[in-house]
């Protein structure tokens, strides 16, 4: 009778080991899937920003810039105009490049939003450079866990 108890114990142990192994494989697959999705999403975003219709890209970059500011707790105050917000952000960030600061970028974005003519490729490049610089600054200042969170959620 003790042989049957040992066999049941061994069967239960084997079942537990198999369940743990399957769980680990599933968790690894899920993490890998999230990783691949995130890498593709990031690459796709930057490609979209750099190619296609300049005006549409500038509008998308504007939304992304505002998400980046929201992550850093810098957001437009109630009834603050875009130009006022840009002045405040530039003062907070102390950007030395006067040709590529938020005030200049907001002028381009407003032109993209409200002008029938749209924006030029050079203007799109300026918005792209600013967006990339801001993204790099946010990522550089974020801790390891926050960086992972931002890459997945932005």
């Amino acid at each position: 009778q003790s042989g049957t108890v040992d066999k049941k114990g061994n069967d239960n142990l084997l079942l537990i080991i198999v369940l743990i192994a399957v769980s680990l494989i599933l968790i690894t697959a899920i993490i890998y899937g999230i990783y691949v999705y995130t890498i593709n999403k990031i690459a796709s975003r930057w490609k979209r920003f750099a190619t296609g219709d300049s005006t549409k890209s500038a509008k998308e970059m504007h939304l992304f810039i505002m998400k980046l500011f929201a992550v850093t707790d810098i957001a437009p105050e109630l009834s603050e105009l875009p130009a006022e917000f840009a002045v405040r952000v530039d003062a907070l960030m102390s950007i030395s490049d006067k040709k590529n600061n938020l005030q200049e970028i907001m002028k381009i974005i407003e032109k993209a939003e409200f002008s029938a003519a749209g924006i030029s490729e050079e203007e799109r490049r300026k918005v792209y450079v600013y967006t990339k610089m801001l993204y790099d600054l946010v990522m550089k200042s974020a801790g390891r866990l926050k960086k992972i969170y931002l890459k997945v959620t932005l």
Side-chain angles (χ1 to χ4, degrees), residues 1 3 14-15 22 25-27 29 40 44 51 58 64-65 67 73 80 91 100 105 108-109 111 129 133 140 153:
Q1 211 177 26
L14 183 61
L15 180 62
V22 168
I25 289 170
L26 284 174
I27 290 169
N40 288 336
S44 171
T51 60
F64 188 64
I65 287 169
K67 283 182 184 179
D73 297 327
E80 185 176 39
N100 201 18
I105 298 308
I108 296 170
I109 289 169
K111 182 178 174 185
V129 167
M133 179 214 51
K140 191 179 200 179
T153 60

Side-chain angles (χ1 to χ4, degrees), residues 73-126:
D73 297 327
I74 300 174
E77 295 172 354
L78 236 49
S79 74
E80 185 176 39
L81 296 172
E84 295 168 335
F85 173 66
V87 169
R88 186 167 57 87
V89 167
D90 287 343
L92 285 171
M93 294 181 62
S94 62
I95 294 175
S96 58
D97 184 0
K98 298 299 178 203
K99 290 183 181 178
N100 201 18
N101 57 34
L102 189 58
Q103 293 174 64
E104 294 302 315
I105 298 308
M106 288 306 281
K107 289 176 187 174
I108 296 170
I109 289 169
E110 286 176 357
K111 182 178 174 185
E113 272 310 321
F114 303 113
S115 170
I119 64 168
S120 70
E121 184 60 33
E122 181 183 335
E123 289 170 318
R124 184 236 306 258
R125 231 182 337 270
K126 286 180 182 179

Side-chain angles (χ1 to χ4, degrees), residues 46 127-137:
W46 292 110
V127 177
Y128 181 89
V129 167
Y130 184 86
T131 305
K132 185 76 171 119
M133 179 214 51
L134 182 61
Y135 177 79
D136 291 343
L137 279 172

Side-chain angles (χ1 to χ4, degrees), residues 51-59 61 112 119-121 124:
T51 60
D53 179 39
S54 296
T55 301
K56 184 178 176 187
S57 295
K59 290 176 183 180
M61 284 186 273
I119 64 168
S120 70
E121 184 60 33
R124 184 236 306 258

